[in-house]
């Protein structure tokens, strides 16, 4: 979900401790794995929004909870905080002032959502 941006030195989720954090703090990973196994016909890389929409259709509360935990795990990682703010303190759940926000980081998100706000 978090591919990162090497040009801006923002690590992808695989380069952080997000997976370990999820394993430790999200008790329903087996259920998520089962949902993912049932979606083998979808290409997550091509249509992430469609992929998430199908997963939500199967278990919306579980998928929403997983996404929330994934966001927390990723943005709590000090490596991500440092890349985005220049500080080692985690972005989540602590308030962190960011003087110069690079809104260009959101462009891929906006482009990929194709005007939909429900995904």
């Amino acid at each position: 979900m978090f591919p990162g941006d090497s040009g801006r030195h923002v690590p992808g989720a695989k380069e952080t401790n997000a997976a370990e954090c999820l394993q430790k703090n999200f008790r329903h990973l087996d259920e998520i794995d089962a949902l993912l196994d049932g979606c083998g016909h979808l290409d997550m890389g091509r249509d992430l929004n469609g992929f998430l929409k199908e997963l939500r259709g199967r278990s919306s509360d579980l998928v929403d909870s997983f996404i929330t935990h994934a966001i927390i795990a990723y943005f709590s990682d000090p490596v991500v905080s440092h890349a985005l703010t220049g500080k080692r303190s985690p972005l989540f759940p602590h308030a962190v002032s960011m003087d110069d926000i690079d809104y260009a980081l959101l462009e891929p998100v906006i482009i990929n959502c194709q005007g939909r706000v429900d995904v």
Side-chain angles (χ1 to χ4, degrees), residues 75-77 80-82 84-85 88-96 98:
F75 286 103
S76 295
D77 193 289
V80 176
S81 298
H82 187 262
L84 295 175
T85 67
R88 282 278 184 211
S89 60
L91 292 173
F92 187 90
H94 310 289
V96 176
M98 296 174 63

PDB file of all heavy atoms in Angstrom, residues 75-77 80-82 84-85 88-96 98:
ATOM      1  N   PHE A  75       3.135   5.182   9.373  1.00  0.00           N
ATOM      2  CA  PHE A  75       3.486   6.542   9.766  1.00  0.00           C
ATOM      3  C   PHE A  75       4.025   6.642  11.185  1.00  0.00           C
ATOM      4  O   PHE A  75       4.514   7.695  11.579  1.00  0.00           O
ATOM      5  CB  PHE A  75       2.293   7.488   9.563  1.00  0.00           C
ATOM      6  CG  PHE A  75       2.058   7.795   8.112  1.00  0.00           C
ATOM      7  CD1 PHE A  75       1.027   7.192   7.422  1.00  0.00           C
ATOM      8  CD2 PHE A  75       2.886   8.661   7.423  1.00  0.00           C
ATOM      9  CE1 PHE A  75       0.814   7.461   6.080  1.00  0.00           C
ATOM     10  CE2 PHE A  75       2.692   8.931   6.084  1.00  0.00           C
ATOM     11  CZ  PHE A  75       1.652   8.329   5.415  1.00  0.00           C
ATOM     12  N   SER A  76       3.964   5.562  11.953  1.00  0.00           N
ATOM     13  CA  SER A  76       4.588   5.531  13.275  1.00  0.00           C
ATOM     14  C   SER A  76       6.066   5.191  13.192  1.00  0.00           C
ATOM     15  O   SER A  76       6.797   5.371  14.165  1.00  0.00           O
ATOM     16  CB  SER A  76       3.897   4.494  14.169  1.00  0.00           C
ATOM     17  OG  SER A  76       2.582   4.859  14.419  1.00  0.00           O
ATOM     18  N   ASP A  77       6.502   4.698  12.057  1.00  0.00           N
ATOM     19  CA  ASP A  77       7.892   4.290  11.916  1.00  0.00           C
ATOM     20  C   ASP A  77       8.803   5.519  11.878  1.00  0.00           C
ATOM     21  O   ASP A  77       8.574   6.442  11.103  1.00  0.00           O
ATOM     22  CB  ASP A  77       8.065   3.473  10.630  1.00  0.00           C
ATOM     23  CG  ASP A  77       9.396   2.769  10.600  1.00  0.00           C
ATOM     24  OD1 ASP A  77      10.427   3.464  10.437  1.00  0.00           O
ATOM     25  OD2 ASP A  77       9.414   1.546  10.756  1.00  0.00           O
ATOM     26  N   VAL A  80      10.084   6.746   8.449  1.00  0.00           N
ATOM     27  CA  VAL A  80       9.114   7.518   7.659  1.00  0.00           C
ATOM     28  C   VAL A  80       9.012   8.936   8.196  1.00  0.00           C
ATOM     29  O   VAL A  80       9.033   9.902   7.431  1.00  0.00           O
ATOM     30  CB  VAL A  80       7.731   6.821   7.663  1.00  0.00           C
ATOM     31  CG1 VAL A  80       6.690   7.663   6.939  1.00  0.00           C
ATOM     32  CG2 VAL A  80       7.834   5.441   7.039  1.00  0.00           C
ATOM     33  N   SER A  81       8.916   9.073   9.516  1.00  0.00           N
ATOM     34  CA  SER A  81       8.855  10.401  10.126  1.00  0.00           C
ATOM     35  C   SER A  81      10.055  11.247   9.736  1.00  0.00           C
ATOM     36  O   SER A  81       9.917  12.410   9.378  1.00  0.00           O
ATOM     37  CB  SER A  81       8.807  10.296  11.656  1.00  0.00           C
ATOM     38  OG  SER A  81       7.672   9.630  12.074  1.00  0.00           O
ATOM     39  N   HIS A  82      11.222  10.631   9.806  1.00  0.00           N
ATOM     40  CA  HIS A  82      12.439  11.361   9.477  1.00  0.00           C
ATOM     41  C   HIS A  82      12.443  11.786   8.010  1.00  0.00           C
ATOM     42  O   HIS A  82      12.833  12.909   7.670  1.00  0.00           O
ATOM     43  CB  HIS A  82      13.668  10.516   9.805  1.00  0.00           C
ATOM     44  CG  HIS A  82      14.941  11.271   9.657  1.00  0.00           C
ATOM     45  ND1 HIS A  82      15.724  11.188   8.527  1.00  0.00           N
ATOM     46  CD2 HIS A  82      15.560  12.139  10.478  1.00  0.00           C
ATOM     47  CE1 HIS A  82      16.773  11.969   8.660  1.00  0.00           C
ATOM     48  NE2 HIS A  82      16.700  12.557   9.833  1.00  0.00           N
ATOM     49  N   LEU A  84       9.877  12.413   6.111  1.00  0.00           N
ATOM     50  CA  LEU A  84       8.864  13.434   5.831  1.00  0.00           C
ATOM     51  C   LEU A  84       9.085  14.741   6.580  1.00  0.00           C
ATOM     52  O   LEU A  84       8.729  15.805   6.083  1.00  0.00           O
ATOM     53  CB  LEU A  84       7.466  12.890   6.160  1.00  0.00           C
ATOM     54  CG  LEU A  84       7.002  11.719   5.288  1.00  0.00           C
ATOM     55  CD1 LEU A  84       5.674  11.195   5.792  1.00  0.00           C
ATOM     56  CD2 LEU A  84       6.897  12.141   3.830  1.00  0.00           C
ATOM     57  N   THR A  85       9.658  14.672   7.779  1.00  0.00           N
ATOM     58  CA  THR A  85       9.761  15.873   8.611  1.00  0.00           C
ATOM     59  C   THR A  85      11.183  16.278   8.949  1.00  0.00           C
ATOM     60  O   THR A  85      11.403  17.381   9.428  1.00  0.00           O
ATOM     61  CB  THR A  85       9.013  15.673   9.946  1.00  0.00           C
ATOM     62  OG1 THR A  85       9.700  14.671  10.714  1.00  0.00           O
ATOM     63  CG2 THR A  85       7.571  15.288   9.723  1.00  0.00           C
ATOM     64  N   ARG A  88      12.957  12.561  14.065  1.00  0.00           N
ATOM     65  CA  ARG A  88      12.795  11.131  14.337  1.00  0.00           C
ATOM     66  C   ARG A  88      11.497  10.813  15.079  1.00  0.00           C
ATOM     67  O   ARG A  88      11.121   9.659  15.194  1.00  0.00           O
ATOM     68  CB  ARG A  88      13.966  10.606  15.172  1.00  0.00           C
ATOM     69  CG  ARG A  88      15.187  10.394  14.340  1.00  0.00           C
ATOM     70  CD  ARG A  88      15.068   9.056  13.664  1.00  0.00           C
ATOM     71  NE  ARG A  88      16.276   8.758  12.916  1.00  0.00           N
ATOM     72  CZ  ARG A  88      16.287   8.042  11.814  1.00  0.00           C
ATOM     73  NH1 ARG A  88      15.199   7.550  11.336  1.00  0.00           N
ATOM     74  NH2 ARG A  88      17.404   7.809  11.199  1.00  0.00           N
ATOM     75  N   SER A  89      10.801  11.818  15.598  1.00  0.00           N
ATOM     76  CA  SER A  89       9.587  11.525  16.352  1.00  0.00           C
ATOM     77  C   SER A  89       8.493  11.024  15.421  1.00  0.00           C
ATOM     78  O   SER A  89       8.323  11.537  14.325  1.00  0.00           O
ATOM     79  CB  SER A  89       9.108  12.780  17.100  1.00  0.00           C
ATOM     80  OG  SER A  89       8.836  13.812  16.182  1.00  0.00           O
ATOM     81  N   PRO A  90       7.757  10.002  15.842  1.00  0.00           N
ATOM     82  CA  PRO A  90       6.709   9.444  14.985  1.00  0.00           C
ATOM     83  C   PRO A  90       5.622  10.461  14.664  1.00  0.00           C
ATOM     84  O   PRO A  90       5.262  11.286  15.497  1.00  0.00           O
ATOM     85  CB  PRO A  90       6.128   8.306  15.822  1.00  0.00           C
ATOM     86  CG  PRO A  90       7.151   8.009  16.862  1.00  0.00           C
ATOM     87  CD  PRO A  90       7.888   9.288  17.095  1.00  0.00           C
ATOM     88  N   LEU A  91       5.097  10.389  13.441  1.00  0.00           N
ATOM     89  CA  LEU A  91       4.013  11.269  13.048  1.00  0.00           C
ATOM     90  C   LEU A  91       2.708  10.883  13.720  1.00  0.00           C
ATOM     91  O   LEU A  91       1.862  11.726  13.995  1.00  0.00           O
ATOM     92  CB  LEU A  91       3.816  11.220  11.527  1.00  0.00           C
ATOM     93  CG  LEU A  91       4.940  11.803  10.696  1.00  0.00           C
ATOM     94  CD1 LEU A  91       4.687  11.538   9.223  1.00  0.00           C
ATOM     95  CD2 LEU A  91       5.043  13.293  10.941  1.00  0.00           C
ATOM     96  N   PHE A  92       2.522   9.611  13.932  1.00  0.00           N
ATOM     97  CA  PHE A  92       1.278   9.149  14.508  1.00  0.00           C
ATOM     98  C   PHE A  92       1.576   8.394  15.782  1.00  0.00           C
ATOM     99  O   PHE A  92       2.502   7.594  15.807  1.00  0.00           O
ATOM    100  CB  PHE A  92       0.548   8.221  13.530  1.00  0.00           C
ATOM    101  CG  PHE A  92      -0.817   7.854  14.003  1.00  0.00           C
ATOM    102  CD1 PHE A  92      -1.893   8.634  13.664  1.00  0.00           C
ATOM    103  CD2 PHE A  92      -1.002   6.760  14.820  1.00  0.00           C
ATOM    104  CE1 PHE A  92      -3.155   8.308  14.113  1.00  0.00           C
ATOM    105  CE2 PHE A  92      -2.250   6.435  15.282  1.00  0.00           C
ATOM    106  CZ  PHE A  92      -3.328   7.214  14.926  1.00  0.00           C
ATOM    107  N   PRO A  93       0.884   8.618  16.830  1.00  0.00           N
ATOM    108  CA  PRO A  93      -0.294   9.460  17.018  1.00  0.00           C
ATOM    109  C   PRO A  93       0.037  10.846  17.536  1.00  0.00           C
ATOM    110  O   PRO A  93      -0.837  11.594  17.922  1.00  0.00           O
ATOM    111  CB  PRO A  93      -1.088   8.672  18.069  1.00  0.00           C
ATOM    112  CG  PRO A  93      -0.018   8.080  18.940  1.00  0.00           C
ATOM    113  CD  PRO A  93       1.125   7.751  17.994  1.00  0.00           C
ATOM    114  N   HIS A  94       1.299  11.212  17.517  1.00  0.00           N
ATOM    115  CA  HIS A  94       1.731  12.499  18.065  1.00  0.00           C
ATOM    116  C   HIS A  94       1.552  13.626  17.054  1.00  0.00           C
ATOM    117  O   HIS A  94       1.754  13.430  15.866  1.00  0.00           O
ATOM    118  CB  HIS A  94       3.205  12.420  18.480  1.00  0.00           C
ATOM    119  CG  HIS A  94       3.495  11.225  19.331  1.00  0.00           C
ATOM    120  ND1 HIS A  94       3.063  11.120  20.622  1.00  0.00           N
ATOM    121  CD2 HIS A  94       4.128  10.070  19.053  1.00  0.00           C
ATOM    122  CE1 HIS A  94       3.440   9.956  21.114  1.00  0.00           C
ATOM    123  NE2 HIS A  94       4.089   9.298  20.170  1.00  0.00           N
ATOM    124  N   ALA A  95       1.206  14.777  17.549  1.00  0.00           N
ATOM    125  CA  ALA A  95       1.120  15.944  16.674  1.00  0.00           C
ATOM    126  C   ALA A  95       2.523  16.397  16.329  1.00  0.00           C
ATOM    127  O   ALA A  95       3.370  16.554  17.201  1.00  0.00           O
ATOM    128  CB  ALA A  95       0.365  17.067  17.381  1.00  0.00           C
ATOM    129  N   VAL A  96       2.777  16.565  15.064  1.00  0.00           N
ATOM    130  CA  VAL A  96       4.089  17.004  14.600  1.00  0.00           C
ATOM    131  C   VAL A  96       3.872  18.162  13.647  1.00  0.00           C
ATOM    132  O   VAL A  96       3.114  18.062  12.694  1.00  0.00           O
ATOM    133  CB  VAL A  96       4.853  15.867  13.874  1.00  0.00           C
ATOM    134  CG1 VAL A  96       6.159  16.380  13.317  1.00  0.00           C
ATOM    135  CG2 VAL A  96       5.092  14.708  14.819  1.00  0.00           C
ATOM    136  N   MET A  98       4.786  20.412  10.695  1.00  0.00           N
ATOM    137  CA  MET A  98       5.584  20.313   9.477  1.00  0.00           C
ATOM    138  C   MET A  98       5.564  21.676   8.798  1.00  0.00           C
ATOM    139  O   MET A  98       4.545  22.093   8.262  1.00  0.00           O
ATOM    140  CB  MET A  98       5.013  19.234   8.548  1.00  0.00           C
ATOM    141  CG  MET A  98       5.094  17.845   9.146  1.00  0.00           C
ATOM    142  SD  MET A  98       4.281  16.563   8.168  1.00  0.00           S
ATOM    143  CE  MET A  98       5.241  16.597   6.678  1.00  0.00           C
TER     144      MET A  98
END
